[in-house]
Amino acid sequence: MGSRDDDGHSTEGQGYAADINSIREARARIAPYVHKTPILSSTSIDAIAGKQLFFKCECFQKAGAFKIRGASNSIFALDDSQAAKGVVTHSSGNHAAAVALAAKLRGIPAYIVIPKNAPACKVENVRRYGGQVIWSDVTMESRESIAKKVQEETGAILIHPFNDKYTISGQGTVCLELLEQVPEIDTIIVPISGGGLISGVTLAAKAINPSIRILAAEPKGADDSAQSKAAGRIIKLPATSTIADGLRAFLGDLTWPVVRDLVDDVIVVDDNAIVDAMKMCYETLKVAVEPSGAIGLAAALSDEFKQSSAWHESSKIGIIVSGGNVDLRVLWDSLYK
C-alpha cells in the first residue's frame, strides 16, 4: 500500500487524489467485505420523470450505506503495524458505522467521534459493530479536534470520511458496478457533501466514458458545493439546516478539485422535495431510503433539472441511492398508539 502522512492523506501521485487504477485496486481489496448492490427501476417513476431512471441501491449495502466501501478500502490498506493501534474517525452516522464494521472485520479497535445531533439509529449501528463512541459538539471544528485528541492519545490512524485517496477510491467502486450493470447510462446523479462519493464516482465514470454527465444533488440548507462551483473556490457555510443529516459536511482539498473540474453541475433541492422523493421510494420502489439517499431522485424530478440543457441531453440516468439508515421511531410510535 502507499505511504500516508500524519493526517492519513496519501503522499503519492499527482493530479487528482484517486484514479481508475486506485479504484480498481479498491474493488479487489474490498470484494470479500462488501455487497454488489442491485439496480432497481420503476416504470411508474420513469413516467413521472420523463426519463429512464436506474437506482443503484446502496441502501442494501452492509451497514446500510455506501460508506463501507471507502472504510474497508482504507482499513484493509493499512499495514499490520499501523492497524494494530486501531482507527479513529468523526462522522454524523453512516461513515461511523462503516468504520466500526470494517475495523471489526479486521479485528482492530475503532474510536468513533459522533456529534450529539446524530440520528439514534446511526449511533446504534456504531455500537452494534463494536465501535467506541466518543461524543462531540455538532460543529466540524469540535468533531475534528476531538478526533485529533484521540489520535494523539491512542496512536490510532484517522480514517477520513471523504478527504482521503483510499476513501475516495473505495467509494468509486460503486460506479464500476453501476456501469457494468447498466452500461448505456449517460448521466449519473450523486448526493454531495464532503465529496468522497461523487469524486470516486466521477473519476471512475469519466475514465470509462468521458462523455458521461455527472450531476451533484445537494440540499438547499447545505448548498456549499453549489456556492463553491459558482465562486471557483471552496465556500464553507457558517451553519447548515437540512433533513439530510448525511449531507452537512463541506468539501475537502482532495475532493474539491474533482468537483470543480469534472462534475458537470450541482442541482439544489429543498427539504420538502427530499421528503417527497423519500415517500416515492417507500411507496413505489418499496425501498427504505434515508433523506440523503433520496436526494438523487428529488434532483431528477426537480424543475431546476428539467429546465437545464442536461435534462434534454439525458435519457438513461443512474441515481446513487446512497443509504437507508433512517430513524423510523416516530412512525412506529404512531402505529403502536
Side-chain angles (χ1 to χ4, degrees):
M1 83 153 246
S3 59
R4 295 186 175 195
D5 64 20
D6 292 339
D7 293 324
H9 288 97
S10 168
T11 54
E12 63 191 34
Q14 297 301 313
Y16 299 116
D19 58 31
I20 191 67
N21 294 323
S22 70
I23 294 166
R24 287 184 172 133
E25 285 167 15
R27 187 181 195 177
R29 184 180 289 121
I30 70 177
Y33 311 108
V34 304
H35 295 314
K36 181 175 181 178
T37 52
I39 304 286
L40 294 183
S41 58
S42 160
T43 51
S44 302
I45 294 177
D46 288 355
I48 295 164
K51 302 287 176 186
Q52 276 188 282
L53 306 183
F54 299 90
F55 296 90
K56 177 63 168 161
C57 291
E58 288 293 289
C59 47
F60 298 141
Q61 188 52 266
K62 286 188 182 174
F66 73 92
K67 292 283 193 178
I68 189 65
R69 295 175 182 270
S72 57
N73 190 46
S74 296
I75 286 171
F76 283 92
L78 296 171
D79 64 37
D80 288 345
S81 64
Q82 288 176 308
K85 291 176 179 171
V87 289
V88 59
T89 198
H90 57 85
S91 165
S92 63
N94 287 335
H95 176 71
V99 168
L101 175 56
K104 183 181 179 184
L105 292 169
R106 178 107 196 229
I108 60 174
Y111 307 98
I112 314 292
V113 177
I114 301 183
K116 58 191 180 198
N117 65 342
C121 65
K122 296 187 177 182
V123 180
E124 285 158 18
N125 280 347
V126 172
R127 292 201 166 115
R128 184 185 311 135
Y129 299 130
Q132 297 181 42
V133 173
I134 300 148
W135 295 102
S136 77
D137 286 333
V138 300
T139 65
M140 190 58 76
E141 291 75 20
S142 171
R143 284 165 49 160
E144 288 175 343
S145 68
I146 291 173
K148 195 161 185 60
K149 187 162 169 271
V150 173
Q151 242 185 310
E152 288 162 0
E153 289 171 0
T154 62
I157 297 279
L158 178 71
I159 305 297
H160 199 279
F162 50 87
N163 204 47
D164 178 84
K165 168 180 180 166
Y166 292 91
T167 304
I168 293 167
S169 300
Q171 316 312 23
T173 62
V174 75
C175 186
L176 299 183
E177 290 178 17
L178 173 63
L179 293 179
E180 286 171 7
Q181 290 164 307
V182 194
E184 64 272 24
I185 278 175
D186 53 53
T187 302
I188 307 176
I189 303 180
V190 192
I192 192 165
S193 180
L197 176 61
I198 201 167
S199 294
V201 167
T202 302
L203 292 166
K206 302 257 180 182
I208 293 163
N209 173 8
S211 68
I212 208 160
R213 185 178 294 97
I214 307 292
L215 303 174
E218 186 168 51
K220 192 173 185 179
D223 66 345
D224 57 292
S225 300
Q227 291 188 34
S228 299
K229 282 280 274 185
R233 61 186 172 84
I234 295 181
I235 301 283
K236 296 192 175 182
L237 307 177
T240 60
S241 176
T242 174
I243 191 175
D245 58 276
L247 302 181
R248 294 172 183 158
F250 303 135
L251 295 167
D253 62 346
L254 300 183
T255 56
W256 161 240
V258 182
V259 174
R260 179 190 64 207
D261 301 345
L262 301 176
V263 170
D264 294 278
D265 204 0
V266 182
I267 301 168
V268 176
V269 296
D270 65 27
D271 278 10
N272 286 340
I274 294 172
V275 174
D276 288 344
M278 276 179 79
K279 189 164 175 277
M280 195 176 287
C281 288
Y282 279 71
E283 293 178 352
T284 308
L285 272 188
K286 311 299 182 195
V287 171
V289 175
E290 65 186 89
S292 307
I295 196 171
L297 175 57
L301 298 176
S302 69
D303 289 340
E304 184 183 336
F305 180 45
K306 289 182 174 173
Q307 289 158 13
S308 69
S309 60
W311 192 82
H312 296 287
E313 294 160 12
S314 303
S315 64
K316 296 182 189 305
I317 302 173
I319 293 182
I320 309 293
V321 180
S322 53
N325 294 319
V326 62
D327 205 329
L328 294 176
R329 282 180 308 174
V330 175
L331 171 63
W332 306 135
D333 289 350
S334 71
L335 293 175
Y336 282 127
K337 281 171 186 166

